Amino acid sequence: VQLQASGGGLVQAGGSLRLSCVASGHTLDDYAVVWFRQAPGKEREGVACISRSGVTTYYADSVKGRFTISRDNAKNTVYLQMNDLKREDSAVYYCHADRDDAIAAMSHHLGTFGALEARGQGTLVTVSS
């Protein structure tokens, strides 16, 4: 499966953006999906994760209550709705995926994507004050 993230841009603090992760080459409903982000000089962080069924989600503490991950399997897309954005949310956001829910969840927790079988390009989010 090939993944393409989009939806990034420049937004003022307090604003919202919705990122999309679109799959091609394979149906995305076979995959758990993880959103990561990395800002210059900072460690990569697992932002949010959604299981293949969509029933289970995980969030980094830094985004809980502000970000929502969801999936629309009919559109082969996973979304990351980001509300009340802060300057510290500025980063390149990546979506990666794996057919194993446990591997995806662990990768999210550890902030590493080496074990994930599908990796997408990033999209840049810049939050201005």
Side-chain angles (χ1 to χ4, degrees), residues 45-122:
E45 179 182 26
V47 176
C49 175
I50 189 165
S51 64
R52 290 173 298 164
S53 68
V55 170
T56 303
T57 57
Y58 304 97
Y59 296 95
D61 288 343
S62 57
V63 307
K64 279 181 183 176
R66 300 188 298 120
F67 290 13
T68 302
I69 189 170
S70 63
R71 63 192 308 150
D72 185 342
N73 288 336
K75 294 183 178 180
N76 242 15
T77 302
V78 167
Y79 301 102
L80 185 68
Q81 177 67 43
M82 307 187 296
N83 298 328
D84 189 22
L85 283 160
K86 306 176 186 299
R87 287 193 65 186
E88 52 265 39
D89 295 318
S90 296
V92 178
Y93 285 71
Y94 302 87
C95 64
H96 301 322
D98 199 275
R99 280 177 280 196
D100 189 313
D101 283 344
I103 290 176
M106 183 58 65
S107 296
H108 165 262
H109 175 69
L110 296 175
T112 60
F113 58 76
L116 300 174
E117 62 181 284
R119 305 177 196 172
Q121 300 287 335

Side-chain angles (χ1 to χ4, degrees), residues 26-57:
H26 199 283
T27 178
L28 192 57
D29 57 5
D30 287 342
Y31 290 81
V33 176
V34 187
W35 283 100
F36 294 88
R37 68 184 179 186
Q38 187 158 24
K42 294 187 178 180
E43 291 189 355
R44 185 181 304 113
E45 179 182 26
V47 176
C49 175
I50 189 165
S51 64
R52 290 173 298 164
S53 68
V55 170
T56 303
T57 57

